């Protein structure tokens, strides 16, 4: 069963516009969730995790247990944000969503 | 980059041949993972290891085997490569025992013709 769902394969946003990458999970307990990012020709890297409640590169993500969501948000998109973004969920292992490609339009 | 390297970085091989990919880490991490990355499928776990000689299957383990005879090396073997195994393969380590944050290698692009 799909534990992590990223409904958008591709998201195109104009530079300066707000960004929201959606992630929904299915789990009845207290999940541990992450966002990973992969820039072109680079390795995947951790962007943020919900436990630390930090903001990295202007991105934030809030765990909403009622909606079982962990959407990634940024108020003003920058061209360097263009990348592949993966939501990940901790079960006994890390389970990744299928990813969303974010394309920032000039 | 958490001291993770992968070799080779690119490989082209023929259907039916065995292929071994190597993941090497320099920081004595206990947990190591092999994923494949495919468009439309994201990252899928193939096998993982929780110590020397301790390995377990992931989501898509059929056609793959692994070995870990030393802490620093985690080998992924395709016993008889098929075109469906054309993919980008990533190795990862878990940063600490208490955290599930993962750090990834640079990837190996494998093409099976």
């Amino acid at each position: 069963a799909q534990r992590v769902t990223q409904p958008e394969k591709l998201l195109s946003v104009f530079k300066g516009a707000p960004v929201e990458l959606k992630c929904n999970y299915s789990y009845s307990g207290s999940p541990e969730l992450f966002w990973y990012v992969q820039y072109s020709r680079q390795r995947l890297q951790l962007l943020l995790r919900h436990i630390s409640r930090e903001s990295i590169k202007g991105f934030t993500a809030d765990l909403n247990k009622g909606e079982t969501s962990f959407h990634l948000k940024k108020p003003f998109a920058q061209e360097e944000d263009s990348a592949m973004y993966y939501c990940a969920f901790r079960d006994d292992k890390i389970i990744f969503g299928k990813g969303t490609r974010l394309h920032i339009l000039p | 980059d958490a001291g993770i390297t992968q070799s080779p970085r690119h490989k082209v091989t023929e259907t039916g041949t065995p292929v071994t990919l190597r993941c090497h880490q320099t920081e004595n991490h206990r947990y190591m993972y092999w994923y494949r990355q495919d468009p439309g499928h994201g990252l899928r776990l193939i096998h993982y290891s929780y110590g020397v000689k301790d390995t377990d299957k992931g989501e898509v383990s059929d056609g793959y085997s692994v070995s870990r005879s030393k802490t620093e090396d985690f080998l992924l073997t395709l016993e008889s490569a098929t075109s469906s195994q054309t993919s980008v393969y990533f190795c990862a380590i878990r940063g600490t025992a208490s955290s599930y944050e993962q750090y990834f290698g640079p990837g190996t692009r494998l093409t099976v013709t």
Side-chain angles (χ1 to χ4, degrees):
Chain A
Q2 184 73 32
R3 306 301 294 275
V4 181
T5 304
Q6 294 180 252
E8 303 140 328
K9 286 186 179 179
L10 173 66
L11 182 64
S12 295
V13 175
F14 284 102
K15 178 182 173 182
V19 175
E20 182 178 69
L21 297 164
K22 291 184 168 51
C23 173
N24 290 91
Y25 65 91
S26 56
Y27 186 72
S28 57
S30 295
E32 186 173 354
L33 290 149
F34 308 85
W35 277 99
Y36 284 81
V37 60
Q38 185 181 26
Y39 300 103
S40 179
R41 295 194 179 90
Q42 294 186 28
R43 65 184 73 194
L44 281 93
Q45 56 188 284
L46 180 68
L47 182 60
L48 54 81
R49 56 182 187 139
H50 89 274
I51 287 177
S52 57
R53 299 186 63 82
E54 56 196 343
S55 173
I56 303 294
K57 300 185 179 183
F59 285 98
T60 58
D62 289 320
L63 177 62
N64 185 323
K65 291 186 180 180
E67 295 182 358
T68 60
S69 68
F70 187 56
H71 302 331
L72 184 68
K73 299 178 183 179
K74 184 170 183 177
F76 307 104
Q78 298 172 281
E79 289 192 57
E80 55 264 35
D81 296 330
S82 292
M84 193 75 180
Y85 291 80
Y86 291 96
C87 183
F89 166 90
R90 174 198 162 183
D91 196 342
D92 60 335
K93 297 175 286 296
I94 296 288
I95 298 171
F96 287 85
K98 295 186 178 182
T100 298
R101 181 165 298 282
L102 177 62
H103 183 208
I104 305 302
L105 303 166
Chain B
D1 62 5
I4 306 169
T5 58
Q6 292 182 232
S7 59
R9 295 293 313 280
H10 301 271
K11 186 168 182 69
V12 179
T13 191
E14 293 184 349
T15 299
T17 59
V19 177
T20 295
L21 309 182
R22 179 182 183 235
C23 177
H24 179 78
Q25 53 122 341
T26 59
E27 299 183 2
N28 209 36
H29 294 287
R30 180 182 172 191
Y31 289 85
M32 298 182 75
Y33 305 82
W34 275 109
Y35 292 89
R36 59 178 291 174
Q37 183 184 41
D38 303 288
H41 292 278
L43 280 162
R44 292 180 290 175
L45 181 65
I46 305 171
H47 281 280
Y48 66 101
S49 169
Y50 46 95
V52 173
K53 294 193 165 93
D54 291 324
T55 65
D56 205 348
K57 295 180 180 180
E59 180 187 356
V60 289
S61 58
D62 287 348
Y64 301 94
S65 63
V66 290
S67 66
R68 192 159 177 212
S69 58
K70 299 184 289 185
T71 299
E72 57 265 35
D73 288 325
F74 191 31
L75 304 181
L76 176 71
T77 297
L78 288 66
E79 307 289 349
S80 176
T82 66
S83 57
S84 64
Q85 293 176 312
T86 292
S87 186
V88 180
Y89 291 86
F90 286 97
C91 174
I93 59 95
R94 188 200 291 187
T96 66
S98 59
S99 167
Y100 278 71
E101 295 174 20
Q102 295 194 345
Y103 298 90
F104 285 82
T108 294
R109 184 173 294 275
L110 176 68
T111 302
V112 183
T113 60

